[in-house]
Amino acid sequence: MTTPAASTVPSQASGQAGTQAGTPPGAQTGSHWMLRSAAASGLTVCFANPGTTELPFVAGMDAVPEVRPILTLFEGVCSGAADGYYRISGKPAMTLTHLGPGFANAIANLHNARRAGSAIYNVIGEHMSWHIEADPPLNSDIESLARPVSAGVYRADSVASLASVTRQSLDNVVAPGGGIHSLILPMDLQAAAMDAPLHAAVAKPIDTPMDGAAIDRVAAGIAAGKRTLLLLGADALHEAALIEALRLRSLSHVEIVGETFPARSEHGGGLPAIRRFNPSAEQAHPYLLGFDCVALIGAKRPVAFFGAPGYPSFLGDPGRTVPLCGGSEGAHGVLRALADTLRLPVQSLQAPAPAQDHDRDNTLTAESAARVVAANLPANAIVSAEGQTLAFPFNAIAAEAQRHSTIVLTGGAIGQGIPAAFGAAIAAPDRKVIGLQSDGSALYTIQTLWSMAREGVDATILIASNRRYNILLNEMRRNGYELVSPAVTDLLHLSRPDIDWVHLARGFGVKADRVGTVAELRASFRRAMAEPGPKLIEVVLP
């Protein structure tokens, strides 16, 4: 929900908002109260890029050690890190950004976070409440920027409204499926005296009954031999649900596929290999029409990634598509009920044959690099995968690696992979984090390396350095375009000059290697897995 701004702007002299100068020394300010309420609600990390209008909030942090402040050099790192933090911890983090222009820099990764279903609490600094009507240079319509990526947008325009909208927004962000909530907080209210009791928001589970009739209908079709696709998404790609999915894998007329861009998925250690759905309309639409039933378990109805002439936006036949509601038990309960109805035996996990990384000719390709990562991935690692060059071949063999979690680019806005890896490392400091990153998208948020070095996170970023926007080149070919002009061709290439990733990383304080053979990558990656701390490996591809 959105709380509208007040129709009138309180003046400095109105007494509705205190000022820093007017707050007695040692008194609790709006910032103190808000931060303490956030901490009491379970929000204990704030990824911040503050400016002048957030200084009272920064001062408030000095008195509230329960909230850990983490500086990033760009707001898109704040939002991407908060997304990665939520996907691994299941807890919302705060972001702190500066006015509308600062928040605007965070929007791309908030778009990805919204698509992932992540919960994030954005605090957006605003001018003094009485100063806004003068339209100073940094003034903007913050609500219009925040609404497209927020489940709720709130503005404090008095001490009383600061208390009410903070309570409301904290309740909403910690609720199941809470999403992204953005609070616009004027500078004078951050410093105003505040005597309201602290608020501790508590998540209240939503007990939705499982759709037993739909499960029985799908089970009856499977029992009758109808060709059935189980399309898994959300928590259906977590460990407990995948163990239940193993029971259904024995049925030759049932296929199990994962959604294209899951917020978090589990792989390896005997879990079933789940192929990802290909969202290309030309391939996906006829594929779906080949099934008598498409059961959606935690997944949304398939949509083409890009529109294609002659194909519908919603893929497959809606009359054969059945959403299965998991209720409070989620996808795990749906898959268990489906297998139980079909009287399928429980399957034990079987350790797979380990991935092999020995290439006879030592040539470093995307595929051989993926094999090195899979063969040497430590147990319980987290993989943040953005860009097709390394991510796609790794995903194809992820089941052969040790047990790990993967987070991917959910909304298509590039520049998410490295910040998400950083946030994941903050959320799980006892787990190794590996970023599989393409060079073009890495440049959007490369400043993350500095925050990684400052916080000493245990994350290794592999950069697929092929010096081009490979996905665009592939799409150009697929659409039948052949470029001739060197000036236009240059739009798709990252050369002249080549980017020096090793010196970039070292300049941000991160150890770095450049590798050009399988043997070099194997040695560098094994060192990175054996040593704590951040590292970058430039994987030079032909």
Side-chain angles (χ1 to χ4, degrees):
M1 98 171 244
T2 299
T3 300
S7 57
T8 60
V9 180
S11 69
Q12 187 177 17
S14 70
Q16 290 178 283
T19 65
Q20 186 174 10
T23 303
Q28 176 173 258
T29 67
S31 296
H32 294 142
W33 178 85
M34 184 184 168
L35 284 160
R36 288 169 181 149
S37 294
S41 303
L43 283 71
T44 57
V45 171
C46 179
F47 297 100
N49 187 270
T52 305
T53 51
E54 293 75 52
L55 293 183
F57 197 87
V58 173
M61 285 181 166
D62 204 36
V64 187
E66 298 89 343
V67 176
R68 176 185 177 183
I70 298 175
L71 178 63
T72 73
L73 303 181
F74 175 63
E75 296 88 342
V77 177
C78 291
S79 51
D83 182 17
Y85 181 89
Y86 178 84
R87 295 201 211 182
I88 295 302
S89 70
K91 300 176 182 179
M94 302 171 67
T95 71
L96 178 64
T97 55
H98 180 45
L99 296 161
F103 180 78
N105 286 335
I107 287 176
N109 276 330
L110 288 173
H111 164 79
N112 292 324
R114 182 178 68 86
R115 288 290 183 179
S118 293
I120 297 173
Y121 193 67
N122 299 313
V123 178
I124 309 167
E126 173 64 293
H127 286 290
M128 297 281 189
S129 57
W130 48 266
H131 187 52
I132 297 170
E133 64 182 358
D135 193 26
L138 274 170
N139 190 42
S140 64
D141 184 354
I142 301 176
E143 282 89 346
S144 69
L145 295 169
R147 283 191 193 100
V149 292
S150 303
V153 180
Y154 315 80
R155 175 181 284 271
D157 55 19
S158 66
V159 171
S161 71
L162 171 58
S164 63
V165 297
T166 298
R167 293 187 190 105
Q168 183 181 23
S169 55
L170 286 174
D171 285 344
N172 289 339
V173 80
V174 304
I180 299 168
H181 292 267
S182 301
L183 174 60
I184 303 165
L185 185 55
M187 187 177 183
D188 49 334
L189 297 179
Q190 296 170 38
M194 188 80 164
D195 60 1
L198 294 183
H199 180 68
V202 178
K204 298 176 182 178
I206 300 173
D207 189 11
T208 305
M210 188 182 296
D211 192 344
I215 292 171
D216 289 343
R217 189 163 68 251
V218 172
I222 293 173
K226 290 186 177 181
R227 193 155 186 259
T228 302
L229 173 67
L230 305 181
L231 184 58
L232 309 185
D235 61 332
L237 292 167
H238 297 177
E239 179 180 333
L242 291 173
I243 291 173
E244 295 296 338
L246 273 173
R247 302 168 65 186
L248 294 146
R249 297 264 307 209
S250 60
L251 303 175
S252 60
H253 58 294
V254 174
E255 285 192 36
I256 304 177
V257 173
E259 65 181 348
T260 312
F261 303 112
R264 190 184 99 229
S265 54
E266 310 295 330
H267 305 268
L271 292 177
I274 304 294
R275 178 173 61 86
R276 287 194 196 157
F277 181 75
N278 184 339
S280 167
E282 299 92 331
Q283 298 180 46
H285 188 58
Y287 170 73
L288 291 173
L289 292 177
F291 293 95
D292 300 304
C293 174
V294 175
L296 307 179
I297 306 176
K300 296 179 180 178
R301 185 179 168 192
V303 175
F305 195 81
F306 292 113
Y311 294 90
S313 296
F314 287 99
L315 303 171
D317 181 356
R320 299 182 230 171
T321 303
V322 182
L324 298 183
C325 173
S328 59
E329 293 187 78
H332 168 245
V334 169
L335 288 161
R336 183 181 59 204
L338 194 57
D340 286 349
T341 303
L342 293 165
R343 301 180 184 277
L344 297 173
V346 174
Q347 301 288 325
S348 58
L349 295 180
Q350 301 295 324
Q356 300 296 321
D357 68 342
H358 298 291
D359 286 76
R360 285 173 292 181
D361 61 2
N362 203 28
T363 301
L364 190 58
T365 64
E367 290 71 23
S368 64
R371 286 193 292 273
V372 169
V373 174
N376 296 281
L377 195 71
N380 205 33
I382 299 167
V383 177
S384 176
E386 178 182 6
Q388 66 177 11
T389 304
L390 291 178
F392 283 18
F394 175 80
N395 180 69
I397 59 173
E400 301 172 22
Q402 296 202 65
R403 183 69 58 79
H404 63 280
S405 305
T406 298
I407 54 180
V408 301
L409 182 67
T410 48
I414 63 176
Q416 176 248 330
I418 303 179
F422 174 53
I426 295 293
D430 57 334
R431 301 175 68 179
K432 279 283 186 182
V433 177
I434 294 89
L436 302 180
Q437 188 71 40
S438 293
D439 48 4
S441 52
L443 289 166
Y444 280 59
T445 46
I446 194 62
Q447 310 96 321
T448 313
L449 294 178
W450 182 86
S451 295
M452 290 170 59
R454 170 181 264 212
E455 300 298 325
V457 297
D458 199 2
T460 297
I461 307 299
L462 278 71
I463 302 288
S465 182
N466 56 16
R467 297 161 298 283
R468 58 189 177 185
Y469 289 114
N470 214 30
I471 190 169
L472 296 181
L473 288 166
N474 291 339
E475 286 296 309
M476 293 290 285
R477 295 187 195 101
R478 189 175 71 85
N479 285 281
Y481 295 112
E482 292 293 337
L483 299 180
V484 177
S485 165
V488 177
T489 303
D490 268 0
L491 289 174
L492 307 181
H493 287 80
L494 298 170
S495 54
R496 287 193 316 108
D498 292 346
I499 296 159
D500 191 332
W501 290 100
V502 170
H503 280 87
L504 268 177
R506 291 174 181 169
F508 283 120
V510 172
K511 294 180 180 179
D513 287 342
R514 178 180 291 113
V515 299
T517 68
V518 171
E520 289 174 348
L521 175 58
R522 183 186 301 118
S524 179
F525 189 71
R526 286 179 176 175
R527 280 196 304 272
M529 295 303 97
E531 300 170 355
K535 187 171 184 180
L536 181 141
I537 303 173
E538 180 184 2
V539 182
V540 181
L541 299 175

